[in-house]
Amino acid sequence: MRDLQERNKLISQGMQLAALLPDIMPDDADSQIKPIYEDIQNTLRVPLVNQLFRTLANYPDYLEQLWKHFSPAFVSNSFELEADNLREKALLEDLPEMPEGRWDTIPNAEQLRAFNDTIFYVLPKLLITANIFYEATFSTIPAYRTRRGEAPVNNSPIQTGVAAGTTKVELMKPESADPVVKALFTDIKQHHNHSLVASYYRGVANWPEFLQQAWHDIKPLIGSTAYENLRGFITDQATLSLRKIPLEQPAAIPLDEKQREEVRAILAFFRYKFIPELLLDVALFKAMLDGPAEAYSSRFSVAVSDED
C-alpha cells in the first residue's frame, strides 16, 4: 500500500510537471535536441515526436545520453516484437456498439485512419521506452534472458526510417479551439484526470464530429474496473518486456538531485498512467474505425516472429 501511495504521489507530481514545462516541439528544438528528434523519428519509424520526448527535452543532456545509449536496442527485432505483443493485448473485451462503415463518409477519413494507425503503432514503443528510461535511471536494467526451452529471439536490426503510410497532422491548440472542441478537451482531461490534452486528441480534433461521437462512446469505459485492470496489466507487461530486449545499463546519469526528482516523477506519469491510458483509448478508436479484428496489430510493424 505504501508503494502504491508513493507511486500515485510521483504520478501526480509528474503530471503537473508535464503540464508546466515547455512543450518543446521540433520547430523549437535547439541544435542539441534537433538531431535527437530526427533520430527518434527514424528509429521509431514515425514522422512525429511524441509528448514523452518533448517533455524530457527540458533535460537535454539526459535525453541525449539515454537516447544515444539505447537507440541500438530500439531498432532490434525484439523491441519491435515486444511492442507488437503489448499492442495485441490493449483492446478491452466489452466494446461499445460499432456499426460497420459508420465513419466512411467523414471528410478525409483515410487521413484520420492513417494518423490513428501511426499513433497506435508508436504508443507501445513509447511505453517500453519510458520503462527503460525509468529503470536505467532509478534502478537497474534487468538482465536479458529467454525462457528455458525457448529459441533465442532474432535480434537483427529492423528497417529504420519513417514507415510508408504513417502520417502526422496539425495539433489543435486547446486555447484556440472552438467551444465544442474546447469542451471536449476539458471533458477528456477531467475524465482521465490528466493535466494536459494528449497530442493524439489534439490531432483527432481535426475531425470534430468523429471525436465528439467516439469520445461519447468510450467515455463510460474510462476508469471502469475492466479498463483499470487492463491498464495495470499492460503496464506490468511493459515492465516484463525489458528482459526480452538486449539492454545494457548506461554510465552515470547527467542529472542533479532536483532534476532526478523531476525526471522520476515525469517518467512515472508517462509509464504508469498517460501512455497506458492513451494506448487503451487509441485501440478503442482503431476498433471503431476499422473493426475490432483490426485492433490487435499494426500494419506498420516489421517484426520477424519465430514462425517467420
Side-chain angles (χ1 to χ4, degrees):
M1 179 65 71
R2 185 175 181 180
D3 288 345
L4 181 59
Q5 290 175 341
E6 176 63 23
R7 177 186 295 185
N8 289 337
K9 181 180 178 181
L10 277 175
I11 291 170
S12 179
Q13 292 171 344
M15 182 163 51
Q16 295 306 315
L17 282 166
L20 292 172
L21 287 169
D23 185 3
I24 303 177
M25 301 296 291
D27 288 345
D28 302 322
D30 62 20
S31 58
Q32 180 180 9
I33 292 299
K34 191 175 289 291
I36 300 299
Y37 277 3
E38 292 172 355
D39 194 50
I40 285 170
Q41 294 176 79
N42 285 324
T43 299
L44 299 186
R45 308 183 68 245
V46 291
L48 43 79
V49 178
N50 299 89
Q51 186 82 49
L52 170 66
F53 302 114
R54 302 194 321 254
T55 303
L56 291 177
N58 287 280
Y59 310 89
D61 293 342
Y62 173 77
L63 178 58
E64 181 180 34
Q65 178 183 326
L66 264 69
W67 179 259
K68 288 182 176 179
H69 179 82
F70 287 116
S71 58
F74 296 156
V75 297
S76 68
N77 185 63
S78 57
F79 183 80
E80 190 87 349
L81 272 175
E82 291 307 309
D84 285 356
N85 290 337
L86 288 181
R87 192 182 301 107
E88 183 181 10
K89 298 175 175 69
L91 185 65
L92 286 165
E93 292 185 3
D94 294 327
L95 301 174
E97 185 178 352
M98 297 178 179
E100 188 174 350
R102 182 182 190 181
W103 302 110
D104 289 346
T105 59
I106 63 172
N108 300 314
E110 288 310 307
Q111 186 184 22
L112 170 58
R113 284 187 166 95
F115 176 66
N116 198 79
D117 285 355
T118 299
I119 303 303
F120 192 45
Y121 174 58
V122 77
L123 277 173
K125 296 186 175 191
L126 299 177
L127 182 54
I128 296 172
T129 300
N131 274 267
I132 290 172
F133 280 18
Y134 189 98
E135 294 299 319
T137 309
F138 305 104
S139 183
T140 303
I141 289 292
Y144 173 70
R145 68 184 185 191
T146 57
R147 292 180 181 177
R148 183 176 298 175
E150 284 185 343
V153 174
N154 176 358
N155 270 323
S156 58
I158 64 169
Q159 177 184 350
T160 57
V162 173
T166 58
T167 192
K168 62 180 178 180
V169 299
E170 184 177 354
L171 303 183
M172 189 171 294
K173 296 180 179 179
E175 62 272 16
S176 59
D178 68 43
V180 172
V181 172
K182 189 175 291 186
L184 281 170
F185 283 166
T186 299
D187 195 39
I188 291 167
K189 281 195 340 180
Q190 290 178 346
H191 212 67
H192 268 302
N193 190 28
H194 289 169
S195 58
L196 70 165
V197 182
S199 298
Y200 170 72
Y201 280 112
R202 292 171 58 195
V204 176
N206 288 287
W207 293 267
E209 178 186 353
F210 171 78
L211 177 58
Q212 186 172 30
Q213 185 60 56
W215 174 249
H216 174 271
D217 290 349
I218 75 166
K219 180 178 175 180
L221 302 174
I222 310 300
S224 66
T225 299
Y227 187 95
E228 289 303 308
N229 287 343
L230 185 54
R231 178 174 69 91
F233 175 75
I234 289 293
T235 301
D236 291 343
Q237 290 298 302
T239 302
L240 291 173
S241 72
L242 271 58
R243 293 188 178 277
K244 301 178 183 180
I245 303 169
L247 303 167
E248 294 183 3
Q249 187 70 22
I253 305 296
L255 295 170
D256 61 33
E257 185 174 348
K258 179 177 181 294
Q259 290 173 331
R260 281 181 61 85
E261 292 177 0
E262 292 176 352
V263 168
R264 185 176 186 181
I266 289 166
L267 289 174
F269 168 56
F270 281 99
R271 174 189 191 182
Y272 294 121
K273 184 171 177 64
F274 196 69
I275 299 176
E277 291 179 356
L278 196 56
L279 177 56
L280 268 59
D281 291 7
V282 176
L284 288 168
F285 279 32
K286 172 68 175 173
M288 288 182 183
L289 287 166
D290 299 316
E294 299 298 319
Y296 296 99
S297 61
S298 171
R299 60 187 167 118
F300 302 126
S301 175
V302 291
V304 178
S305 66
D306 295 338
E307 291 78 20
D308 293 336

